[in-house]
């Protein structure tokens, strides 16, 4: 298996394409995922009434996440700082900067995403960012 096909390299390429598309091409992440990929966020669906907080359990449900993100938010920037990999676990470290389409407010936050791969496909994804700032920017609190 060459370096171009490692999970870390594939994740790095997906985030580069995501940034270049200004958040309009969620397919770059869906292409990494197995059909049964679990997608979770630091946002708790029990505490935040927002479609992005939903716990998703399939690639089809993950597609909804990217549709909601594009509907409700405009990407300003998404710089990468570092990628760490240990076997089938890849950690992306960077920042995200978005504008909420409803409120017109901007939010920037450090961001950490953890990807878990099996047999070359992502089976789990967990994202962490400043959830308080997100909720304030979206007008949820």
């Amino acid at each position: 298996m060459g370096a171009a096909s490692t999970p870390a390299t594939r994740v790095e390429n997906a985030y580069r394409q995501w940034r270049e598309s200004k958040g309009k091409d969620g397919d770059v992440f869906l292409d990494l995922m197995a059909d049964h990929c679990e997608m979770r966020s630091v946002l708790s669906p029990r505490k935040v009434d927002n479609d992005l907080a939903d716990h998703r359990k399939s690639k089809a449900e993950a597609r909804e996440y990217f549709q909601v993100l594009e509907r409700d938010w405009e990407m300003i920037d998404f710089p990468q700082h570092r990628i760490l990999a240990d076997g089938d676990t890849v950690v992306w470290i960077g920042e995200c900067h978005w504008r909420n389409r409803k409120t017109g407010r901007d939010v920037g936050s450090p961001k950490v995403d953890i990807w878990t791969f099996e047999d070359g496909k992502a089976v789990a994804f967990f994202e962490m960012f400043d959830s308080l700032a997100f909720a304030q920017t979206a007008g949820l609190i």
Side-chain angles (χ1 to χ4, degrees):
M1 187 177 276
S5 61
T6 66
T9 302
R10 292 174 47 228
V11 166
E12 181 175 18
N13 289 337
Y15 279 92
R16 179 184 43 75
Q17 292 172 35
W18 173 247
R19 184 180 189 196
E20 289 171 358
S21 79
K22 291 289 195 183
K24 294 184 186 328
D25 187 8
D27 286 347
V28 299
F29 295 121
L30 296 172
D31 290 345
L32 298 175
M33 296 179 179
D35 289 337
H36 60 280
C37 187
E38 181 178 23
M39 187 176 189
R40 295 180 303 123
S41 172
V42 70
L43 293 172
S44 170
R46 293 181 308 268
K47 296 183 181 184
V48 177
D49 183 21
N50 187 275
D51 293 336
L52 291 180
D54 290 347
H55 183 141
R56 291 169 169 84
K57 297 180 182 174
S58 70
K59 187 175 184 174
E61 290 178 2
R63 181 178 305 283
E64 293 171 1
Y65 171 91
F66 292 106
Q67 291 168 341
V68 168
L69 188 62
E70 185 175 352
R71 178 193 74 201
D72 296 348
W73 295 87
E74 175 188 355
M75 181 191 288
I76 296 169
D77 202 5
F78 213 91
Q80 173 179 293
H81 297 302
R82 188 169 185 184
I83 291 184
L84 304 172
D86 183 12
D88 284 338
T89 301
V90 179
V91 179
W92 181 91
I93 302 168
E95 297 175 43
C96 60
H97 192 180
W98 296 90
R99 178 173 297 114
N100 183 272
R101 295 184 191 280
K102 181 179 177 185
T103 67
R105 293 185 227 151
D106 293 0
V107 63
S109 172
K111 187 162 189 320
V112 176
D113 293 341
I114 302 169
W115 292 84
T116 304
F117 287 80
E118 288 179 8
D119 299 322
K121 288 291 190 176
V123 294
F125 169 86
F126 180 67
E127 66 175 350
M128 294 175 278
F129 53 89
D130 185 343
S131 57
L132 176 60
F134 164 85
Q136 289 171 329
T137 302
L140 300 173
I141 56 173

